[in-house]
Amino acid sequence: MDLYGIDSEAVRRLDALLESGVTVTVTAHTHPDGDALGSVSALVGYLRECRGKDAVAVLPDSPAATVRPIVPAGVPLLCFDTQPDACLARIAASDLVVLLDANGFSRTEGLQEAFEASPAPKVLIDHHIGPDTEHFQVVFSTPDVSSASELLYYTLLELPDIGGDPRRLPADTARALLTGMTTDTNNFANSVYPGTFRMAADLIAAGVDREAVLADLYNRYRENRVRVMGYLQYEAMRITPEGLAYIIATREIMDRFGVDEGETEGLVNIPLSIDRVKMSILLKENGGHFRVSIRSKKGWSARACATSHFHGGGHENASGGKLFWPGDIACREDASAYLEQVSKACLS
Ligand SMILES: [Mn+2]
């Protein structure tokens, strides 16, 4: 099972680190999405159940209510926004750190310093370009995979105790892996590779209930989410002559519908279903800046747009960044004019 050329020497070193480590901290990027939570939960579950480790998830901030249920009850979770001291103490006490679904500790924002200062050996398992290899002793990194969950799945299969047999993974681990991959591919709509389908087939054969996974992910939203998504598409979406669709979700709109920002997950993909739209940008107001999500059709680069105009980056067709005021724009109300310029720069 050498689907991604997973380096057997790296697997040996990973296995040795997992064997010698006792207090393992597993982390992921800020604003954790389904892939971050799925992969972190899967690895913590595996380490606790199969290896008997004191494994704990430590995240830069608390998961949004919509994705929080992805973390099973048996996975201990500390979040820096609510328990800063406990997080820092845990990192200081760890003898192994694993970063998932992020290309470096800068993506852990407030925890970056603590992780980089820790003398514990560190492992990176990620699918974003440009891995920061400097701080890691073992790196599994390729952008040619659907998700961190998928890369973790094939890495776990290579470990001697799993020996290529997904039925040896704990049930919660198997389910978390399928969940993480499902969210990052937008339920098999993008970034799907032959290995992605193979992973799904293997995990379902091993007993994961895919219908239950889908029901938990997609059929448990609050009514407010559906209403605000409709409102934002009807009232707030603009489409430029070049084919950029953009939506600005202001604080006022979010407050009016009583939704938090996690509840607009998936909205940025919807305008891409319009024939003439090449790229979609969603701005979500967050204190003194907008959080920016960008999606593009094949042939147009969300990544280049995020890098050039929004201090960000990511995948070729799915990226993100930030837009600050004052700074990038003088005031919040200038965001539309800025996006019209971005449209000309990126799409003409
Ligand atoms: Mn991911």
Side-chain angles (χ1 to χ4, degrees), residues 29 33-36 39 100-102 126-128 146-149 180 183-184 315:
H29 61 78
D33 57 7
D35 186 31
S39 57
L100 291 157
D101 200 29
D126 180 47
H127 68 124
H128 298 85
S146 69
S147 54
S149 297
T183 60
D184 249 26
H315 307 289

Side-chain angles (χ1 to χ4, degrees), residues 234-315:
Y234 186 71
E235 289 286 345
M237 183 177 71
R238 302 283 176 269
I239 304 178
T240 68
E242 296 82 23
L244 172 71
Y246 65 86
I247 295 173
I248 302 175
T250 61
R251 190 73 266 155
E252 288 81 359
I253 296 172
M254 302 299 274
D255 287 349
R256 184 175 144 198
F257 284 87
V259 292
D260 70 46
E261 68 164 325
E263 292 182 280
T264 56
E265 182 70 36
L267 174 62
V268 67
N269 298 305
I270 293 173
L272 282 186
S273 64
I274 301 167
D275 188 33
R276 73 182 170 99
V277 169
K278 299 162 182 164
M279 189 179 286
S280 168
I281 297 183
L282 172 63
L283 300 192
K284 291 188 269 190
E285 187 175 346
N286 186 337
H289 68 276
F290 288 108
R291 289 189 63 222
V292 183
S293 300
I294 310 173
R295 300 290 182 272
S296 60
K297 285 181 180 163
K298 206 171 176 172
W300 308 96
S301 179
R303 179 193 292 141
C305 180
T307 308
S308 308
H309 302 284
F310 298 105
H311 317 279
H315 307 289

Side-chain angles (χ1 to χ4, degrees), residues 149-198:
S149 297
E150 183 180 338
L151 187 56
L152 174 63
Y153 171 70
Y154 286 109
T155 304
L156 290 174
L157 283 191
E158 295 289 320
L159 291 171
D161 60 335
I162 303 301
D165 183 354
R167 287 169 302 179
R168 292 187 189 153
L169 293 170
D172 278 353
T173 291
R175 184 186 168 119
L177 290 168
L178 188 72
T179 300
M181 178 270 278
T182 299
T183 60
D184 249 26
T185 59
N186 195 12
N187 197 12
F188 297 90
N190 34 50
S191 307
V192 174
Y193 295 79
T196 316
F197 288 116
R198 186 177 304 184

Side-chain angles (χ1 to χ4, degrees), residues 14-312:
L14 172 66
D15 191 50
L17 287 177
L18 296 181
E19 204 45 50
S20 57
V22 175
T23 309
V24 188
T25 291
V26 183
T27 190
H29 61 78
T30 184
H31 295 290
D33 57 7
D35 186 31
L37 295 173
S39 57
V40 165
S41 299
L43 183 58
V44 169
Y46 163 78
L47 290 171
R48 294 180 76 85
E49 289 185 45
C50 297
R51 310 286 288 239
K53 303 298 174 181
D54 168 21
V56 170
V58 173
L59 295 175
D61 45 16
S62 303
T66 44
V67 285
R68 178 65 181 78
I70 291 172
V71 184
V75 169
L77 170 64
L78 295 171
C79 299
F80 187 57
D81 57 336
T82 54
Q83 297 163 280
D85 296 340
C87 287
L88 295 175
R90 172 71 198 187
I91 293 167
S94 298
D95 54 19
L96 180 61
V97 171
V98 183
L99 174 63
L100 291 157
D101 200 29
N103 60 5
F105 287 119
S106 63
R107 299 281 286 115
T108 67
E109 295 199 342
L111 290 172
Q112 176 178 5
E113 226 174 283
F115 279 127
E116 289 183 354
S118 153
K122 300 179 189 81
V123 175
L124 176 66
I125 303 175
D126 180 47
H127 68 124
H128 298 85
I129 57 164
D132 165 23
T133 51
E134 182 195 338
H135 293 96
F136 298 88
Q137 282 68 48
V138 181
V139 174
F140 299 89
S141 171
T142 171
D144 298 323
V145 61
S146 69
S147 54
S149 297
E150 183 180 338
L151 187 56
L152 174 63
Y153 171 70
Y154 286 109
T155 304
L156 290 174
L157 283 191
E158 295 289 320
L159 291 171
D161 60 335
I162 303 301
D165 183 354
R167 287 169 302 179
R168 292 187 189 153
L169 293 170
D172 278 353
T173 291
R175 184 186 168 119
L177 290 168
L178 188 72
T179 300
M181 178 270 278
T182 299
T183 60
D184 249 26
T185 59
N186 195 12
N187 197 12
F188 297 90
N190 34 50
S191 307
V192 174
Y193 295 79
T196 316
F197 288 116
R198 186 177 304 184
M199 166 190 181
D202 288 352
L203 289 174
I204 292 164
V208 178
D209 181 348
R210 178 164 182 261
E211 276 182 43
V213 166
L214 294 184
D216 281 352
L217 283 176
Y218 301 121
N219 293 342
R220 300 190 124 182
Y221 293 117
R222 295 189 311 141
E223 179 181 337
N224 300 30
R225 166 189 153 92
V226 176
R227 294 200 182 278
V228 77
M229 300 257 283
Y231 177 85
L232 288 168
Q233 290 167 73
Y234 186 71
E235 289 286 345
M237 183 177 71
R238 302 283 176 269
I239 304 178
T240 68
E242 296 82 23
L244 172 71
Y246 65 86
I247 295 173
I248 302 175
T250 61
R251 190 73 266 155
E252 288 81 359
I253 296 172
M254 302 299 274
D255 287 349
R256 184 175 144 198
F257 284 87
V259 292
D260 70 46
E261 68 164 325
E263 292 182 280
T264 56
E265 182 70 36
L267 174 62
V268 67
N269 298 305
I270 293 173
L272 282 186
S273 64
I274 301 167
D275 188 33
R276 73 182 170 99
V277 169
K278 299 162 182 164
M279 189 179 286
S280 168
I281 297 183
L282 172 63
L283 300 192
K284 291 188 269 190
E285 187 175 346
N286 186 337
H289 68 276
F290 288 108
R291 289 189 63 222
V292 183
S293 300
I294 310 173
R295 300 290 182 272
S296 60
K297 285 181 180 163
K298 206 171 176 172
W300 308 96
S301 179
R303 179 193 292 141
C305 180
T307 308
S308 308
H309 302 284
F310 298 105
H311 317 279

